[in-house]
Amino acid sequence: MAEVEETGKLMFADLSDVSISGDIPVQGEINVPVGTPSQDKEYSTLDEPVKDTILRDLKAVGKKFVHVMYPKKSSALLRDWDLWGPLLLCVTLALMLQGGSVDRKDDGGPQFAEVFVIIWFGSVIITLNSKLLGGTISFFQSLCVLGYCIMPLTVAMVVCRLVLLGGSWGFSFIVRLIVVTASFSWSTFASTAFLADSQPPNRKALVVYPVFLFYFVIGWMILTFSPSA
């Protein structure tokens, strides 16, 4: 046993003089990434309160409304697309285009359904047309742009309802015609400003023409609207 212990001491005697940092080169680095609390909150919303999530989404929708009112060549509306704003505008416009009569049970329902279907079906058709012509944006990005650009026409509908409350028919029609024409032009201009760069240069007219018809139909519905007695 004494011989074995002595042999073991001789085998490991030289290792006591070895320095890892000096004699044996250590290659590579071992780093443990530790994220700061602010970074974790920025990229993870699983533990975020519902109130903060709703406020953040409302701010995002409000920013897109600002982009529509002041259209410019920006990818913000296309990059951070959503359908909450278009859904809100579509429901609001459909509700305001309902008849004012409460005596007829079949007055409000079909009108709401017709407006809802016209807006969404028209948006889908324009989006498919854009994709078939070689558009580079996605299906939902196009729906987002077309839906948000209904905002000027929705504002025009609010103004027309207020004008119809008072004033003669001739005066109210002239005011409504001016408001609807301006809103229709603004909606068409805003949508083409966002969609133009995503289309081939030689096919932009084929994309803009259905957009023109889409907003023209909505504008005509607003202009010819008259509440039931």
Side-chain angles (χ1 to χ4, degrees):
M1 291 295 294
E3 293 180 356
V4 174
E5 292 179 357
E6 188 172 351
T7 303
K9 291 180 180 180
L10 292 174
M11 291 176 62
F12 295 100
D14 296 335
L15 295 179
S16 61
D17 298 332
V18 176
S19 175
I20 294 178
S21 60
D23 299 335
I24 301 177
V26 180
Q27 297 180 355
E29 296 180 356
I30 301 177
N31 295 326
V32 179
V34 179
T36 60
S38 61
Q39 293 177 343
D40 295 339
K41 291 182 179 180
E42 182 179 357
Y43 294 104
S44 177
T45 59
L46 295 177
D47 300 329
E48 185 181 38
V50 177
K51 178 182 177 181
D52 295 341
T53 303
I54 295 176
L55 290 177
R56 188 184 68 252
D57 292 340
L58 290 176
K59 289 180 180 178
V61 172
K63 289 181 180 179
K64 292 181 178 66
F65 284 153
V66 174
H67 281 296
V68 173
M69 298 308 297
Y70 299 96
K72 59 182 180 179
K73 291 184 178 180
S74 174
S75 60
L77 192 61
L78 297 176
R79 183 180 64 253
D80 304 325
W81 63 268
D82 68 81
L83 299 179
W84 290 113
L87 179 62
L88 176 63
L89 293 173
C90 179
V91 172
T92 303
L93 187 59
L95 288 174
M96 288 190 296
L97 282 172
Q98 287 189 38
S101 176
V102 296
D103 297 330
R104 296 177 56 191
K105 296 182 180 179
D106 60 340
D107 189 45
Q111 291 184 11
F112 179 89
E114 289 171 3
V115 174
F116 202 86
V117 170
I118 287 174
I119 292 177
W120 285 105
F121 185 74
S123 299
V124 170
I125 294 299
I126 294 175
T127 301
L128 293 177
N129 176 69
S130 173
K131 297 296 292 182
L132 292 175
L133 292 175
T136 58
I137 63 175
S138 68
F139 181 83
F140 291 105
Q141 285 177 332
S142 180
L143 287 180
C144 174
V145 171
L146 294 172
Y148 270 102
C149 290
I150 299 177
M151 181 182 177
L153 290 169
T154 305
V155 175
M157 185 63 210
V158 175
V159 175
C160 291
R161 289 297 295 256
L162 295 177
V163 171
L164 287 172
L165 294 178
S168 61
W169 184 89
F171 174 76
S172 64
F173 178 79
I174 294 175
V175 174
R176 287 186 291 141
L177 178 62
I178 296 174
V179 172
V180 172
T181 302
S183 301
F184 157 73
S185 303
W186 197 267
S187 295
T188 306
F189 171 74
S191 60
T192 53
F194 292 114
L195 299 176
D197 292 339
S198 63
Q199 305 299 325
N202 58 339
R203 296 180 178 179
K204 288 184 178 181
L206 297 176
V207 177
V208 173
Y209 180 67
V211 175
F212 175 87
L213 291 179
F214 174 65
Y215 291 119
F216 178 80
V217 171
I218 299 176
W220 181 258
M221 294 170 61
I222 296 173
L223 181 63
T224 57
F225 170 80
S226 58
S228 301

